[in-house]
Structure formats: C-alpha cells, structure tokens
Amino acid sequence: VLYLLAPFFFESNSLDFLSTDHLARQSFEITLPSVISSLFFLNGFVGDTISVNGPLWSLSYEVWYYILAAFLLKSSKPIYAVAFIILLIILSILNKDFLVHSTIWFLGLLLCIFHNNKLFSKKLNSLLYLVGISGTLIFSYIFFIDPVYSTKINLNLVNNFSLMLYKLSLGLLTACVVYSILRGTIKFPVFLKSASAYSYTLYIIHFPILLFI
C-alpha cells in the first residue's frame, strides 16, 4: 500500500527520495525478485531482501534456524543428523554471516532447554557474564572506537573479525541476562510484558513506515 501511495506523497512524484543524506535507502523501490526471495525465505542466500524493509533479513535466518533446530532435536536418527550438517554447510556457504548468527540463535535454544529442565549453575552463569561483558567492551572498543589499532593490520580483516566477536560477545551477554530473568534473579519491568504482544510485528513493519514518513 505504501509503495502505491509513495508517488502521491513524495516531493519527487516518484518512488525516489529527493534528499538521501540521512536515509538508509535511495528510493522506496520494491522489486519482484526480492519479493519472491523474501516470500520463500531465501533472501540473503539466493536473492536480495526487499529494499524498503531491511529487517526482513532476520526473518529468513530465523525460519532456517527453526528448521535446523528440528533436525538437531531429531539427530539421534542418522538421517536427521546428516540433514542438519548438510543444510548448515549449504546455508553457511551461501551466507557466511548465517553461521556466526547461528551461535547466538542456538544460545537461545540452549537457554530454553536449561530452563525447561531446571538446569542452573551460578558459577557458570557468573563466568559467562564475565566473558560476555569483557568481550563486548573489548571488541566494541576495537571496532567502534580505535581505528588506529585497526590500521595496524588489514582494515577489513580486523573490522570483520572484531565485529564478529562483538556480536558473539553481545549475544552471550544478552543470553545471560535473559536467563537471569527466567531464573527470577533479575526483575523484568512489568510494563514491558504487554509489549510482547506487538513488539515483533512492530520490528517487522517499522522500517517501511519510517522511510515513508
């Protein structure tokens, strides 16, 4: 709907933005190939994500993680174990970031298993907190604050590696916080609980709305 309305509301009388200095996109364009790849959750692997809705990149990841998790939970049977390994390799070859982000997603799966089976180690949780906080601070400093250090080696190599470790550290830290909430050692604000009914929908639709307005 916004795609059809854009030419009537934009100053350019088209899908293009007149000024793109502070915008994440050059236009409000939607292409058929990106729609098809996003519809079948192949965007980021064998096709592009719909340009005006960047957050859809994570939706395709999540769908494939659930499929992998199903194979993993059935991996006592060889056919499912083989399917898990082959699918993970193929998806990681098609998109190297998929493998990095998979560690964060499967941390969430592990949290679920721990919580459902009432498994908890205070010492382990404290150690993971320490690793998560330290890693987040160190690699955020290297990636975001200290460009001088990055120029000592290949800039792209250092940036990519430090960003990957930053993501892993932040994911581990987030997992620790979530588990602390599940254990009741950290109190989750009551007023935020109602947000669970609409927060994911808001995440999926907010990008095109912000671009439009």
Side-chain angles (χ1 to χ4, degrees), residues 179-195:
Y179 194 60
S180 295
I181 293 173
L182 292 174
R183 293 288 304 172
T185 54
I186 292 180
K187 298 298 181 183
F188 193 70
V190 177
F191 73 91
L192 289 178
K193 289 184 177 180
S194 60

Side-chain angles (χ1 to χ4, degrees), residues 42-171:
L42 295 173
N43 51 306
F45 299 100
V46 294
D48 296 325
T49 300
I50 297 175
S51 176
V52 297
N53 201 349
L56 288 181
W57 73 267
S58 64
L59 188 58
S60 64
Y61 277 40
E62 189 170 357
V63 167
W64 289 110
Y65 288 145
Y66 276 114
I67 294 173
L68 285 169
F71 287 144
L72 182 63
L73 294 175
K74 292 281 190 178
S75 59
S76 57
K77 296 182 179 181
I79 187 172
Y80 292 112
V82 172
F84 172 83
I85 294 171
I86 292 176
L87 183 59
L88 180 60
I89 291 174
I90 292 174
L91 292 172
S92 299
I93 290 174
L94 292 173
N95 188 332
K96 60 181 176 59
D97 289 333
F98 181 81
L99 183 61
V100 175
H101 288 94
S102 69
T103 58
I104 300 172
W105 192 92
F106 280 101
L107 267 177
L109 176 63
L110 195 60
L111 282 182
C112 180
I113 294 173
F114 278 12
H115 178 65
N116 291 344
N117 292 278
K118 302 187 185 306
L119 300 174
F120 180 73
S121 170
K122 189 174 182 179
K123 290 183 178 180
L124 178 60
N125 198 40
S126 299
L127 176 62
L128 294 179
Y129 259 116
L130 179 62
V131 173
I133 293 173
S134 301
T136 300
L137 291 176
I138 292 171
F139 295 112
S140 62
Y141 175 78
I142 293 174
F143 183 74
F144 295 107
I145 303 175
D146 190 15
V148 176
Y149 175 83
S150 298
T151 57
K152 294 178 181 178
I153 318 176
N154 182 278
L155 180 62
N156 290 331
L157 177 63
V158 172
N159 279 350
N160 290 337
F161 187 66
S162 58
L163 179 59
M164 178 187 72
L165 293 179
Y166 169 77
K167 290 178 180 179
L168 293 176
S169 300
L170 188 59

